[in-house]
Amino acid sequence: MGQDGPGDLTMVPVSMGTTIVATTFNGGVILAADSRTSSGAYIGNRATDKITPLCDNVYCLRSGSAADTQAIAGYVQHFIAQHQAEENDRISVKTAATLVRTLAYNNKDNLSAGLIVAGWDKHGGEQIYSINLGGTMTQVPFTMSGSGSTYIYGYADKNWRPNMTQEEAHDFVQRCIRYAIAWDASSGGCIRTVTITKDGVKRVFIPGEEIPPCFGELPREARVG
Amino acid sequence: MSGIGTGYDLSSTTYSPDGKVFQTEYAQKSVDNSSTVLGLKCKDGVVLACEKLVLSKLLVEGSNRRIHNIDRHVGVAVAGLAPDGRMIANRAWDEAASYKRVYGEPIPGHVLCERVGSYVHLFNLYWSLRPYGATILLAAYDKNGPALYAVDPSGTSLRYFGTAVGKGRQAAKNEIEKLKLAEMTCREAVVEAVKILHKVHDEDGKKFELEVSWVCEESGKEHQRVPADLLADAERQAKAALEDSDMDD
C-alpha cells in the first residue's frame, strides 16, 4: 500500500498468493496446491502445505491470508470433532463446508480467506464446495482459486471434463499447478496433491526439481546431495 | 394412593430409600392414564397414531392436536399432559431449526431424540421445576432411513420398532408384537394402527377420534397427516374387524 519495494517487511501481511485447484473424478476428489507463502517479495515458506485436513474424509485448500485460513481451519476442526462425537458418525462434506462458510460469512469484515472444501462421504459421494471472501458457498465439480488460478483458466476450460479416471484427474490437476507456477510469481515451490475416495486419503508430493519446466523456462538444477 | 412414597415424594430432588425419584414416577403415571398413542416403524417409514377422546360436542373436529411437525422429515406425537407435550415439541422444533442453521443439513433422528431427552431430563434435576408429564413418540426419516423413538418423563430416550403409551398400552403392545413390521409398508401399517386403537379403546361409550400421521416413501419422506381416504378406509376395516370378533364370542 503505497510502498516502493518491500519496504518494512514486518508490516507486509503474510499471504498465500497461491494456486489451489480441486476436481471431482469418478469415485473421489483430488485437491492440489502449490507451496509458496510470501510476504511481498520474500518467500516465507517455500514448502507450505496448503492442503489441511478438517477431518478424516474432508480436506480444505487455503488461499488468502495464511493466519486467517489457519485460524478458520483450526476452529472448524474443533467443531467437527464435537459434531462427530454427538452424531456418532462421520461428518458429511456439506456440513463441514457449512461450518467453514458460517465462520467466513459472520467474520467477513475481519477475514481475508478463500477456502475450497472437498471430500467424500457415504451419502453424497465426492463433493467440492468453494467458499469465497464474502462467505458464498457453492457446490461445484471443479474449482480453482488463488492468484495463480487466473493464468490457467484457458487450460482448464480446454482440458477439464467430468467423470475422469483417477489417473486422468491427477495428471490434470498437477499440470494446472505446474502451468500456474510458471506464470505467477506468488506461486511456486512444489506441487502437493491429496486424493480422497471411499477407501481413504492418499498424499502425493512432487518436489520442485521434478516438475518439468514449461516453455521458456530454464531447466531446473538437479538436487545436490 | 397416599402412603406409596410417604415423605420421599415431595420433591424431585429427593431419593427414596429404594433409589426411586417418586416425582418422576408420578409424572409417568400422568402419561399412563392418558389416551393411547402408538408408533410403528415399517420397512419404508414410520406411522404415528393417537386416540383422542372427544370431551365435548362443542369442540371443532380436528382441534386439540396431538401430533406436531418438527421439521419436514420429523414429527412427534404427544401422550400425557397436552400442554407439557407442546413445550417438548416446541423445544424439538427449536433444536431441529438450529441444527439446520449451524450444520446445513436436516437433523438426524438419533441426534434430535438425544437432545430432547436431555431437555426433558433437565426437569427432573431441579427442585424448582416439575418433571414433564408427557411422553413423546418421535418419527424421523433422515439420511439413514426411518426411525421411531420415545422420550419419557424421566428423559430416557429409546429407539423402537413399535411401541404404545397411555391407558391401552399393554393391550396395544401385545397386538403390535403380533405384527411383522419389517415386511409391512406404511400404508398397511396405518390400517393396523387404526385397528389396534379401536380394539384397545375403553368401551364406555365415549366418542373418540383418531389422529394418524406418517413419514415414508409414499409421503416423499415428509411427515404429514395420513390422507383422508386412507384413514376413512382404515376406520371402516377396523370397525368391521371389531364386529367380526364380537360375532365370534
Side-chain angles (χ1 to χ4, degrees), chain B residues 33-38 48-56 59-68 76-80 82 165-168 193-194 197-198 200-202 204-213 225 231 235:
Chain B
N33 290 334
S34 86
S35 49
T36 315
V37 175
L38 61 83
L48 295 172
C50 296
E51 163 206 28
K52 294 193 299 191
L53 291 170
V54 176
L55 299 167
S56 155
L59 276 172
V60 172
E61 192 188 316
S63 65
N64 181 28
R65 300 289 246 110
R66 305 291 290 281
I67 300 187
H68 307 286
V76 304
V78 161
V165 292
K167 257 189 299 225
V194 171
L197 283 180
H198 275 264
V200 308
H201 172 68
D202 260 341
D204 54 0
K206 272 244 174 68
K207 250 190 69 174
F208 73 107
E209 55 181 32
L210 293 180
E211 204 175 323
V212 187
S213 74
R225 252 182 295 190
L231 190 55
E235 296 234 39

Side-chain angles (χ1 to χ4, degrees), chain A residues 93-181:
Chain A
V93 186
K94 182 172 186 189
T95 301
T98 303
L99 290 169
V100 174
R101 189 275 309 270
T102 305
L103 280 173
Y105 176 73
N106 289 335
N107 298 291
K108 62 165 86 182
D109 295 343
N110 301 315
L111 292 174
S112 167
L115 289 107
I116 298 173
V117 176
W120 186 95
D121 68 56
K122 63 178 180 256
H123 294 287
E126 58 273 9
Q127 296 149 76
I128 299 176
Y129 295 87
S130 177
I131 297 147
N132 74 1
L133 254 42
T136 312
M137 179 171 102
T138 48
Q139 184 180 0
V140 284
F142 162 72
T143 188
M144 46 194 186
S145 186
S147 57
S149 67
T150 57
Y151 301 101
I152 48 175
Y153 273 100
Y155 174 74
D157 277 355
K158 189 87 179 159
N159 294 96
W160 184 82
R161 56 234 176 266
N163 282 335
M164 290 185 272
T165 66
Q166 188 172 329
E167 291 70 32
E168 289 172 341
H170 194 271
D171 182 70
F172 170 73
V173 297
Q174 61 98 346
R175 277 174 190 278
C176 281
I177 306 292
R178 184 178 141 214
Y179 298 146
I181 286 176

Side-chain angles (χ1 to χ4, degrees), chain B residues 102-159:
Chain B
V102 172
Y103 298 113
E105 276 193 337
I107 191 166
H110 69 282
V111 175
L112 178 60
C113 134
E114 286 196 1
R115 291 196 183 186
V116 171
S118 310
Y119 175 70
V120 171
H121 175 242
L122 190 82
F123 289 77
N124 291 270
L125 287 173
Y126 301 107
W127 173 86
S128 54
L129 299 169
R130 64 164 175 83
Y132 277 118
T135 291
I136 66 152
L137 298 188
L138 200 147
Y141 201 132
D142 59 37
K143 61 189 182 198
N144 298 316
L148 170 67
Y149 302 92
V151 182
D152 70 16
S154 69
T156 312
S157 61
L158 295 168
R159 190 172 170 184

Side-chain angles (χ1 to χ4, degrees), chain A residues 16-33:
Chain A
M16 292 180 303
T18 273
T19 312
I20 52 176
V21 162
T23 183
T24 54
F25 63 90
N26 204 359
V29 293
I30 306 192
L31 297 85

